[in-house]
Short mmCIF file of all heavy atoms in Angstrom, two decimals:
data_model
loop_
_atom_site.label_atom_id
_atom_site.label_comp_id
_atom_site.label_asym_id
_atom_site.label_seq_id
_atom_site.Cartn_x
_atom_site.Cartn_y
_atom_site.Cartn_z
N HIS A 1237 80.89 23.79 153.52
CA HIS A 1237 82.22 23.23 153.68
C HIS A 1237 83.17 24.29 154.24
O HIS A 1237 83.44 25.29 153.59
CB HIS A 1237 82.70 22.74 152.31
CG HIS A 1237 84.04 22.09 152.33
ND1 HIS A 1237 84.33 21.02 153.13
CD2 HIS A 1237 85.18 22.38 151.67
CE1 HIS A 1237 85.58 20.66 152.96
NE2 HIS A 1237 86.12 21.48 152.07
N ILE A 1257 96.27 41.27 160.83
CA ILE A 1257 95.50 42.37 160.26
C ILE A 1257 94.85 43.19 161.38
O ILE A 1257 94.85 44.43 161.35
CB ILE A 1257 94.43 41.84 159.29
CG1 ILE A 1257 95.07 41.02 158.17
CG2 ILE A 1257 93.60 42.99 158.71
CD1 ILE A 1257 96.06 41.77 157.30
N ARG A 1259 95.97 43.81 164.11
CA ARG A 1259 97.00 44.63 164.73
C ARG A 1259 97.02 46.05 164.14
O ARG A 1259 97.34 47.01 164.80
CB ARG A 1259 98.35 43.96 164.50
CG ARG A 1259 99.41 44.40 165.44
CD ARG A 1259 100.74 43.80 165.05
NE ARG A 1259 100.96 42.48 165.63
CZ ARG A 1259 102.17 41.91 165.66
NH1 ARG A 1259 103.21 42.53 165.15
NH2 ARG A 1259 102.32 40.72 166.17
N TYR A 1260 96.70 46.13 162.85
CA TYR A 1260 96.79 47.44 162.19
C TYR A 1260 95.45 48.02 161.76
O TYR A 1260 95.39 49.16 161.33
CB TYR A 1260 97.69 47.34 160.96
CG TYR A 1260 99.12 47.16 161.37
CD1 TYR A 1260 99.76 45.95 161.21
CD2 TYR A 1260 99.80 48.20 162.00
CE1 TYR A 1260 101.06 45.78 161.63
CE2 TYR A 1260 101.09 48.04 162.43
CZ TYR A 1260 101.73 46.82 162.24
OH TYR A 1260 102.99 46.66 162.67
N TRP A 1288 86.71 41.63 153.86
CA TRP A 1288 87.70 41.37 152.80
C TRP A 1288 89.13 41.64 153.24
O TRP A 1288 90.06 41.48 152.46
CB TRP A 1288 87.33 42.20 151.56
CG TRP A 1288 85.98 41.79 151.07
CD1 TRP A 1288 84.79 42.40 151.35
CD2 TRP A 1288 85.66 40.64 150.30
NE1 TRP A 1288 83.74 41.70 150.79
CE2 TRP A 1288 84.25 40.61 150.13
CE3 TRP A 1288 86.41 39.61 149.72
CZ2 TRP A 1288 83.59 39.61 149.42
CZ3 TRP A 1288 85.76 38.62 149.01
CH2 TRP A 1288 84.37 38.62 148.86
N ALA A 1291 93.78 38.13 155.62
CA ALA A 1291 94.90 37.78 154.76
C ALA A 1291 95.00 36.28 154.52
O ALA A 1291 95.93 35.81 153.87
CB ALA A 1291 96.20 38.31 155.37
N ALA A 1292 94.08 35.53 155.08
CA ALA A 1292 94.11 34.06 154.96
C ALA A 1292 95.46 33.49 155.37
O ALA A 1292 96.00 32.62 154.70
CB ALA A 1292 93.71 33.62 153.56
N CYS A 1293 95.99 33.99 156.46
CA CYS A 1293 97.30 33.50 156.92
C CYS A 1293 97.15 32.23 157.76
O CYS A 1293 98.12 31.55 158.04
CB CYS A 1293 98.03 34.57 157.71
SG CYS A 1293 97.31 34.87 159.35
N TYR A 1294 95.95 31.93 158.19
CA TYR A 1294 95.63 30.72 158.95
C TYR A 1294 96.21 30.68 160.36
O TYR A 1294 96.23 29.62 160.99
CB TYR A 1294 96.03 29.44 158.20
CG TYR A 1294 95.23 29.19 156.96
CD1 TYR A 1294 95.73 29.49 155.71
CD2 TYR A 1294 93.94 28.68 157.05
CE1 TYR A 1294 94.99 29.28 154.55
CE2 TYR A 1294 93.18 28.46 155.90
CZ TYR A 1294 93.71 28.77 154.66
OH TYR A 1294 92.98 28.55 153.53
N ASP A 1298 95.16 27.81 163.25
CA ASP A 1298 96.11 26.99 163.99
C ASP A 1298 96.01 27.18 165.50
O ASP A 1298 96.34 26.29 166.26
CB ASP A 1298 97.55 27.30 163.54
CG ASP A 1298 97.93 26.50 162.30
OD1 ASP A 1298 97.16 25.60 161.91
OD2 ASP A 1298 99.01 26.75 161.73
N ARG A 1299 95.57 28.37 165.94
CA ARG A 1299 95.63 28.64 167.38
C ARG A 1299 94.29 28.61 168.10
O ARG A 1299 94.26 28.64 169.32
CB ARG A 1299 96.30 30.00 167.60
CG ARG A 1299 97.74 29.99 167.14
CD ARG A 1299 98.55 31.11 167.69
NE ARG A 1299 99.87 31.12 167.08
CZ ARG A 1299 100.58 32.21 166.84
NH1 ARG A 1299 100.09 33.40 167.18
NH2 ARG A 1299 101.77 32.13 166.28
N ARG A 1311 86.12 32.60 155.14
CA ARG A 1311 86.03 32.32 153.70
C ARG A 1311 84.59 31.98 153.28
O ARG A 1311 84.09 32.46 152.26
CB ARG A 1311 87.00 31.19 153.32
CG ARG A 1311 87.17 30.99 151.84
CD ARG A 1311 86.38 29.81 151.33
NE ARG A 1311 86.75 28.60 152.04
CZ ARG A 1311 85.91 27.60 152.26
NH1 ARG A 1311 84.67 27.66 151.84
NH2 ARG A 1311 86.31 26.53 152.91
N ARG A 1314 82.69 35.15 153.10
CA ARG A 1314 83.03 35.92 151.89
C ARG A 1314 82.37 35.30 150.67
O ARG A 1314 81.88 35.99 149.79
CB ARG A 1314 84.54 35.90 151.68
CG ARG A 1314 85.31 36.77 152.64
CD ARG A 1314 86.75 36.37 152.55
NE ARG A 1314 87.64 37.47 152.87
CZ ARG A 1314 88.96 37.44 152.66
NH1 ARG A 1314 89.52 36.38 152.15
NH2 ARG A 1314 89.71 38.47 152.97
N ASN A 1315 82.40 33.97 150.60
CA ASN A 1315 81.74 33.29 149.48
C ASN A 1315 80.27 33.66 149.40
O ASN A 1315 79.73 33.90 148.33
CB ASN A 1315 81.88 31.77 149.61
CG ASN A 1315 83.19 31.21 149.04
OD1 ASN A 1315 83.27 30.07 148.65
ND2 ASN A 1315 84.22 32.03 148.99
N PHE A 1327 88.86 40.28 142.17
CA PHE A 1327 88.54 38.87 141.98
C PHE A 1327 87.90 38.63 140.61
O PHE A 1327 88.13 37.60 139.98
CB PHE A 1327 87.60 38.38 143.09
CG PHE A 1327 88.23 38.45 144.45
CD1 PHE A 1327 87.85 39.41 145.38
CD2 PHE A 1327 89.22 37.55 144.82
CE1 PHE A 1327 88.43 39.48 146.63
CE2 PHE A 1327 89.81 37.60 146.07
CZ PHE A 1327 89.42 38.57 146.98
N GLN A 1330 90.77 38.67 138.12
CA GLN A 1330 91.59 37.46 138.13
C GLN A 1330 90.83 36.30 137.49
O GLN A 1330 91.40 35.53 136.72
CB GLN A 1330 92.01 37.11 139.56
CG GLN A 1330 93.07 38.08 140.06
CD GLN A 1330 93.61 37.71 141.43
OE1 GLN A 1330 92.89 37.18 142.27
NE2 GLN A 1330 94.87 37.99 141.66
N GLY A 1338 94.41 30.86 131.60
CA GLY A 1338 94.80 29.87 132.60
C GLY A 1338 95.53 30.52 133.77
O GLY A 1338 95.55 30.00 134.88
N ALA A 1340 96.29 33.74 136.48
CA ALA A 1340 95.47 34.71 137.20
C ALA A 1340 95.85 36.16 136.85
O ALA A 1340 95.15 37.10 137.23
CB ALA A 1340 95.60 34.49 138.71
N ARG A 1347 107.60 39.73 128.83
CA ARG A 1347 108.11 38.79 129.84
C ARG A 1347 108.21 37.38 129.30
O ARG A 1347 109.15 36.64 129.60
CB ARG A 1347 107.20 38.78 131.06
CG ARG A 1347 107.79 39.55 132.18
CD ARG A 1347 107.17 39.27 133.53
NE ARG A 1347 107.74 40.25 134.45
CZ ARG A 1347 108.77 40.00 135.22
NH1 ARG A 1347 109.33 38.82 135.27
NH2 ARG A 1347 109.26 40.95 136.00
N ARG A 1351 111.93 35.22 128.63
CA ARG A 1351 112.30 33.93 129.21
C ARG A 1351 113.42 33.28 128.40
O ARG A 1351 114.33 32.69 128.96
CB ARG A 1351 111.09 33.00 129.28
CG ARG A 1351 110.02 33.47 130.24
CD ARG A 1351 108.83 32.52 130.23
NE ARG A 1351 109.18 31.19 130.73
CZ ARG A 1351 109.14 30.84 132.01
NH1 ARG A 1351 108.75 31.70 132.91
NH2 ARG A 1351 109.48 29.62 132.38
N LYS A 1361 101.55 26.86 127.71
CA LYS A 1361 100.31 27.54 127.32
C LYS A 1361 99.14 26.95 128.08
O LYS A 1361 99.06 25.74 128.28
CB LYS A 1361 100.09 27.34 125.82
CG LYS A 1361 100.68 28.43 124.96
CD LYS A 1361 99.78 28.68 123.75
CE LYS A 1361 100.10 29.92 122.95
NZ LYS A 1361 101.09 30.82 123.45
N ASN A 1363 95.00 26.18 128.70
CA ASN A 1363 93.99 25.61 127.82
C ASN A 1363 92.62 26.20 128.18
O ASN A 1363 91.83 25.59 128.89
CB ASN A 1363 93.98 24.08 127.96
CG ASN A 1363 93.03 23.42 126.98
OD1 ASN A 1363 92.12 24.05 126.44
ND2 ASN A 1363 93.23 22.13 126.76
N SER A 1366 89.40 24.10 127.84
CA SER A 1366 89.19 23.10 128.88
C SER A 1366 88.72 23.76 130.18
O SER A 1366 87.82 23.25 130.86
CB SER A 1366 90.51 22.34 129.10
OG SER A 1366 90.51 21.65 130.31
N LYS A 1369 85.09 24.65 130.00
CA LYS A 1369 84.23 23.46 130.09
C LYS A 1369 84.04 23.02 131.54
O LYS A 1369 82.93 22.75 131.97
CB LYS A 1369 84.84 22.32 129.28
CG LYS A 1369 84.57 22.42 127.79
CD LYS A 1369 85.10 21.18 127.09
CE LYS A 1369 84.96 21.29 125.59
NZ LYS A 1369 85.90 20.39 124.90
N ILE A 1370 85.14 22.96 132.28
CA ILE A 1370 85.01 22.42 133.65
C ILE A 1370 84.32 23.42 134.58
O ILE A 1370 83.80 23.03 135.62
CB ILE A 1370 86.37 21.99 134.24
CG1 ILE A 1370 87.35 23.15 134.32
CG2 ILE A 1370 86.97 20.81 133.48
CD1 ILE A 1370 88.56 22.88 135.17
N LYS A 1372 81.74 25.17 133.81
CA LYS A 1372 80.33 25.32 133.44
C LYS A 1372 79.43 25.05 134.65
O LYS A 1372 79.65 24.10 135.39
CB LYS A 1372 79.99 24.35 132.30
CG LYS A 1372 79.08 24.97 131.28
CD LYS A 1372 78.98 24.20 129.97
CE LYS A 1372 78.87 22.70 130.16
NZ LYS A 1372 79.03 21.94 128.92
N CYS B 71 101.21 31.36 138.90
CA CYS B 71 101.05 32.61 138.15
C CYS B 71 102.03 33.70 138.57
O CYS B 71 102.60 34.40 137.75
CB CYS B 71 99.63 33.14 138.34
SG CYS B 71 98.36 31.93 138.00
N TYR B 75 104.87 35.79 136.30
CA TYR B 75 104.36 37.16 136.11
C TYR B 75 105.37 38.19 136.60
O TYR B 75 105.59 39.20 135.95
CB TYR B 75 103.03 37.29 136.86
CG TYR B 75 102.38 38.66 136.83
CD1 TYR B 75 102.19 39.32 135.62
CD2 TYR B 75 101.94 39.25 137.99
CE1 TYR B 75 101.57 40.57 135.59
CE2 TYR B 75 101.33 40.49 137.98
CZ TYR B 75 101.15 41.15 136.77
OH TYR B 75 100.54 42.37 136.76
N GLU B 81 112.58 31.86 139.75
CA GLU B 81 112.54 30.68 138.86
C GLU B 81 113.92 30.35 138.32
O GLU B 81 114.33 29.18 138.31
CB GLU B 81 111.55 30.94 137.71
CG GLU B 81 111.36 29.70 136.85
CD GLU B 81 110.47 29.93 135.62
OE1 GLU B 81 109.76 30.97 135.57
OE2 GLU B 81 110.49 29.07 134.74
N GLU B 100 99.81 22.62 130.12
CA GLU B 100 98.43 23.15 130.19
C GLU B 100 97.89 23.35 131.59
O GLU B 100 96.70 23.22 131.83
CB GLU B 100 97.49 22.20 129.43
CG GLU B 100 97.77 22.18 127.95
CD GLU B 100 96.63 21.56 127.15
OE1 GLU B 100 95.65 21.08 127.74
OE2 GLU B 100 96.75 21.56 125.92
N CYS B 103 96.01 28.38 136.91
CA CYS B 103 96.14 28.95 138.26
C CYS B 103 95.70 27.91 139.29
O CYS B 103 94.70 27.22 139.08
CB CYS B 103 95.23 30.18 138.34
SG CYS B 103 94.98 30.79 140.02
N PRO B 107 93.68 32.22 144.49
CA PRO B 107 93.22 33.61 144.48
C PRO B 107 91.69 33.74 144.47
O PRO B 107 91.15 34.75 144.89
CB PRO B 107 93.80 34.19 143.18
CG PRO B 107 94.89 33.27 142.78
CD PRO B 107 94.56 31.92 143.35
N ASP B 109 89.57 31.54 145.98
CA ASP B 109 88.93 30.88 147.12
C ASP B 109 88.05 31.84 147.93
O ASP B 109 86.96 31.47 148.35
CB ASP B 109 89.99 30.22 148.01
CG ASP B 109 89.39 29.24 149.01
OD1 ASP B 109 88.40 28.57 148.64
OD2 ASP B 109 89.88 29.16 150.14
N PRO B 110 88.49 33.09 148.14
CA PRO B 110 87.63 34.01 148.91
C PRO B 110 86.26 34.23 148.29
O PRO B 110 85.30 34.47 149.02
CB PRO B 110 88.42 35.33 148.91
CG PRO B 110 89.82 34.94 148.67
CD PRO B 110 89.78 33.72 147.81
N VAL B 111 86.15 34.17 146.98
CA VAL B 111 84.85 34.43 146.37
C VAL B 111 84.12 33.17 145.93
O VAL B 111 82.89 33.16 145.83
CB VAL B 111 84.95 35.42 145.18
CG1 VAL B 111 85.20 36.82 145.69
CG2 VAL B 111 86.02 34.99 144.19
N HIS B 113 84.73 29.05 146.67
CA HIS B 113 85.44 27.84 147.08
C HIS B 113 85.28 26.76 146.01
O HIS B 113 86.22 26.03 145.71
CB HIS B 113 84.84 27.37 148.42
CG HIS B 113 85.63 26.30 149.09
ND1 HIS B 113 86.95 26.46 149.45
CD2 HIS B 113 85.28 25.05 149.48
CE1 HIS B 113 87.38 25.36 150.03
NE2 HIS B 113 86.39 24.48 150.06
N ARG B 122 91.76 20.21 138.59
CA ARG B 122 92.18 20.05 137.20
C ARG B 122 93.70 19.88 137.13
O ARG B 122 94.21 19.00 136.43
CB ARG B 122 91.75 21.26 136.35
CG ARG B 122 92.16 21.16 134.89
CD ARG B 122 91.65 22.31 134.03
NE ARG B 122 92.10 22.13 132.65
CZ ARG B 122 93.27 22.53 132.20
NH1 ARG B 122 94.11 23.16 133.00
NH2 ARG B 122 93.62 22.31 130.94
N LYS B 147 95.94 20.73 150.00
CA LYS B 147 94.68 20.79 150.70
C LYS B 147 93.56 20.16 149.88
O LYS B 147 92.77 19.36 150.38
CB LYS B 147 94.37 22.27 150.96
CG LYS B 147 93.23 22.54 151.88
CD LYS B 147 93.18 24.03 152.13
CE LYS B 147 92.09 24.36 153.12
NZ LYS B 147 92.11 25.76 153.50
N HIS B 165 82.52 17.93 136.98
CA HIS B 165 83.01 19.10 136.24
C HIS B 165 84.21 18.73 135.37
O HIS B 165 84.28 19.08 134.20
CB HIS B 165 83.42 20.21 137.22
CG HIS B 165 82.26 20.95 137.80
ND1 HIS B 165 81.70 22.05 137.19
CD2 HIS B 165 81.54 20.76 138.93
CE1 HIS B 165 80.70 22.50 137.91
NE2 HIS B 165 80.58 21.74 138.98
N GLU B 168 83.84 17.01 131.92
CA GLU B 168 83.50 17.85 130.76
C GLU B 168 84.70 18.06 129.85
O GLU B 168 84.59 18.38 128.69
CB GLU B 168 82.98 19.22 131.21
CG GLU B 168 81.67 19.18 131.96
CD GLU B 168 80.49 18.86 131.03
OE1 GLU B 168 80.52 19.34 129.89
OE2 GLU B 168 79.58 18.12 131.47
N SER B 169 85.90 17.93 130.45
CA SER B 169 87.11 18.13 129.66
C SER B 169 87.93 16.84 129.63
O SER B 169 89.16 16.86 129.41
CB SER B 169 87.92 19.29 130.24
OG SER B 169 89.06 19.53 129.47
N HIS B 215 102.00 30.26 154.15
CA HIS B 215 101.33 29.14 153.47
C HIS B 215 102.15 27.88 153.33
O HIS B 215 101.61 26.82 153.04
CB HIS B 215 100.80 29.61 152.11
CG HIS B 215 99.66 30.57 152.28
ND1 HIS B 215 99.70 31.85 151.81
CD2 HIS B 215 98.49 30.45 152.93
CE1 HIS B 215 98.59 32.48 152.14
NE2 HIS B 215 97.84 31.64 152.83
N ARG B 218 100.99 26.72 157.21
CA ARG B 218 99.65 26.78 157.78
C ARG B 218 98.56 26.48 156.76
O ARG B 218 98.72 26.86 155.60
CB ARG B 218 99.39 28.19 158.36
CG ARG B 218 100.29 28.54 159.50
CD ARG B 218 99.83 29.86 160.12
NE ARG B 218 100.82 30.42 161.03
CZ ARG B 218 101.00 30.01 162.30
NH1 ARG B 218 100.27 29.04 162.77
NH2 ARG B 218 101.91 30.58 163.05
N LYS B 220 98.34 23.90 159.91
CA LYS B 220 99.17 22.76 160.27
C LYS B 220 98.50 21.42 159.96
O LYS B 220 99.13 20.50 159.46
CB LYS B 220 99.50 22.85 161.75
CG LYS B 220 100.59 21.90 162.18
CD LYS B 220 100.85 22.03 163.68
CE LYS B 220 101.66 20.86 164.12
NZ LYS B 220 102.94 21.06 164.57
N GLU B 229 104.78 27.16 164.40
CA GLU B 229 105.09 28.05 165.52
C GLU B 229 106.59 28.23 165.71
O GLU B 229 107.03 29.22 166.27
CB GLU B 229 104.46 27.53 166.82
CG GLU B 229 102.94 27.40 166.78
CD GLU B 229 102.21 28.73 166.53
OE1 GLU B 229 102.84 29.81 166.61
OE2 GLU B 229 101.00 28.68 166.22
N ASP B 250 108.94 38.10 166.11
CA ASP B 250 107.82 37.83 165.19
C ASP B 250 108.25 37.25 163.84
O ASP B 250 107.77 37.67 162.79
CB ASP B 250 107.02 39.13 164.93
CG ASP B 250 106.05 39.42 166.07
OD1 ASP B 250 105.80 38.51 166.89
OD2 ASP B 250 105.55 40.57 166.13
N GLU B 253 105.49 35.98 161.46
CA GLU B 253 104.40 36.89 161.11
C GLU B 253 104.26 37.03 159.58
O GLU B 253 105.23 36.95 158.84
CB GLU B 253 104.73 38.26 161.73
CG GLU B 253 103.56 39.17 161.87
CD GLU B 253 102.65 38.82 163.05
OE1 GLU B 253 102.91 37.84 163.77
OE2 GLU B 253 101.67 39.55 163.23
N PRO B 258 98.98 39.49 151.13
CA PRO B 258 97.58 39.25 150.77
C PRO B 258 96.69 40.49 150.90
O PRO B 258 95.61 40.54 150.33
CB PRO B 258 97.12 38.16 151.76
CG PRO B 258 98.37 37.54 152.26
CD PRO B 258 99.40 38.62 152.24
N SER B 259 97.14 41.49 151.65
CA SER B 259 96.31 42.68 151.84
C SER B 259 96.55 43.74 150.78
O SER B 259 95.85 44.75 150.74
CB SER B 259 96.58 43.30 153.21
OG SER B 259 96.31 42.35 154.20
N VAL B 262 93.64 45.39 148.85
CA VAL B 262 92.49 45.57 149.74
C VAL B 262 92.79 46.72 150.69
O VAL B 262 91.99 47.63 150.88
CB VAL B 262 92.20 44.29 150.56
CG1 VAL B 262 90.91 44.45 151.34
CG2 VAL B 262 92.12 43.07 149.66
N ASP B 273 107.13 46.40 159.74
CA ASP B 273 107.41 45.74 161.02
C ASP B 273 108.46 44.66 160.88
O ASP B 273 109.39 44.56 161.67
CB ASP B 273 106.12 45.05 161.52
CG ASP B 273 105.50 45.80 162.67
OD1 ASP B 273 105.83 46.99 162.81
OD2 ASP B 273 104.70 45.18 163.40
#
Side-chain angles (χ1 to χ4, degrees):
Chain A
H1237 182 56
I1257 302 300
R1259 200 186 273 195
Y1260 290 108
W1288 299 96
C1293 72
Y1294 293 101
D1298 275 352
R1299 296 197 187 147
R1311 190 258 304 149
R1314 287 165 152 191
N1315 275 206
F1327 297 107
Q1330 287 185 326
R1347 257 197 188 264
R1351 293 179 65 88
K1361 269 215 168 353
N1363 185 340
S1366 163
K1369 280 185 185 158
I1370 60 167
K1372 220 166 43 191
Chain B
C71 309
Y75 177 51
E81 186 184 345
E100 294 195 357
C103 167
D109 194 36
V111 287
H113 191 59
R122 180 176 180 274
K147 190 174 183 174
H165 283 273
E168 294 288 323
S169 182
H215 291 119
R218 296 188 193 281
K220 192 181 166 114
E229 300 299 347
D250 279 346
E253 199 78 359
S259 302
V262 187
D273 253 20

